[in-house]
Amino acid sequence: MFTPNLPCTESGGETTLRARILIVEDEPDLREAVAEYLGANGYDVSAAENAAMARPLLETQSFHLAILDIAMPGEDGLSLGRWLRGRMQTGIIYATAAGTALDRIVGLELGADDYVVKPYELRELLARTRSVLRRVPPPAAAMPPGAADAGAGTGRRTLRFGGFSADLDGRIVSGPDGAAVEMTKSEFDVLEVFLTRANRLLTRAAISEAIGAAADADDSSRAVDIRVMRLRKKIEADPANPKFLRTVRGEGYIFSLPAADAGRE
């Protein structure tokens, strides 16, 4: 069992995993303050001062969440996050300087789960950390032996739309040809919201709230639009004329799914 902010314990054969967080921040005082604060709140924290020092950690360990400063000497946080996204389903929070909305938008386009604007309050970072971790599946390497097979034959939640199949528990989408459709964690989060609320009008604020993001935060609507745009490219035959993910101008989105075209296993 994965609990986002409890120490690793064993009871009755069940292991509770302490969430592991990587902080990549070039400001020493802030890096140490964040590591100490998150550690005091029950997380297993590792820290690096730049991307070059972070990569060896990421190559040898699995993390549930990475908090990446965008503006760092050498390789920036956006580049490191893009590399990380290609390796594991780790949650990502970007830290960006005040007034750099473009960085936040680019980060969300690259699959970030949230961001904080520097200087930020540690309590705000903790709240965002908890929110992202509630939506992050444990990385395979962090799971206890045998956990990967725990769901076998237990009636996983699987929803079908058109020729696609979405395993909500395994967080895997298969296309009409049976091949896996590559998705970031944030893309799957939004898809799950639509699939479990098909044929209902969802505002951008409602979608943000459903995935645990701050619905009233700057760029929240833009973040939803970006994820919808990416989803359309992956599940629509013609993204410009979507069959499933339809826009309701001035209102939000509807995941249109005729009853005859839907299925649940």
Side-chain angles (χ1 to χ4, degrees), residues 1-185:
M1 180 176 67
F2 167 59
T3 302
N5 58 343
L6 290 178
C8 180
T9 60
E10 293 187 2
S11 176
E14 183 178 87
T15 301
T16 299
L17 296 172
R18 179 183 174 112
R20 292 201 293 272
I21 299 174
L22 175 65
I23 301 163
V24 187
E25 169 61 59
D26 66 316
E27 297 180 30
D29 291 344
L30 178 58
R31 184 173 66 249
E32 292 173 9
V34 171
E36 181 178 352
Y37 187 76
L38 293 180
N41 278 275
Y43 298 104
D44 185 357
V45 181
S46 297
E49 65 182 67
N50 54 42
M53 296 183 67
R55 280 180 180 259
L57 294 174
L58 291 165
E59 288 173 343
T60 58
Q61 302 179 47
S62 58
F63 292 91
H64 301 87
L65 174 68
I67 302 172
L68 309 178
D69 183 23
I70 289 180
M72 296 186 292
E75 182 181 9
D76 64 24
L78 293 175
S79 174
L80 179 62
R82 183 167 55 247
W83 175 82
L84 176 58
R85 269 285 178 247
R87 296 181 62 86
M88 64 182 76
Q89 288 279 344
T90 300
I92 295 178
I93 296 177
Y94 282 119
T96 180
T100 53
L102 179 60
D103 281 346
R104 298 197 293 274
I105 292 171
V106 171
L108 291 167
E109 288 176 337
L110 292 176
D113 300 288
D114 207 343
Y115 65 85
V116 288
V117 178
K118 299 167 68 174
Y120 51 79
E121 293 286 339
L122 293 177
R123 286 180 298 177
E124 177 191 0
L125 178 63
L126 178 62
R128 292 181 181 274
T129 294
R130 286 172 171 163
S131 177
V132 171
L133 285 173
R134 281 195 293 269
R135 297 178 275 126
V136 175
M143 298 175 70
D149 300 323
T154 59
R156 303 172 74 92
R157 297 177 303 148
T158 302
L159 295 174
R160 290 180 284 109
F161 57 103
F164 293 85
S165 177
D167 178 349
L168 301 186
D169 296 311
R171 298 178 66 85
I172 298 172
V173 177
S174 300
D177 59 356
V181 179
E182 183 177 344
M183 287 193 180
T184 66
K185 191 192 73 62

Side-chain angles (χ1 to χ4, degrees), residues 175-198:
D177 59 356
V181 179
E182 183 177 344
M183 287 193 180
T184 66
K185 191 192 73 62
S186 60
E187 290 167 359
F188 192 94
D189 287 342
V190 174
L191 178 62
E192 182 174 3
V193 169
F194 282 122
L195 287 175
T196 55
R197 298 165 177 80

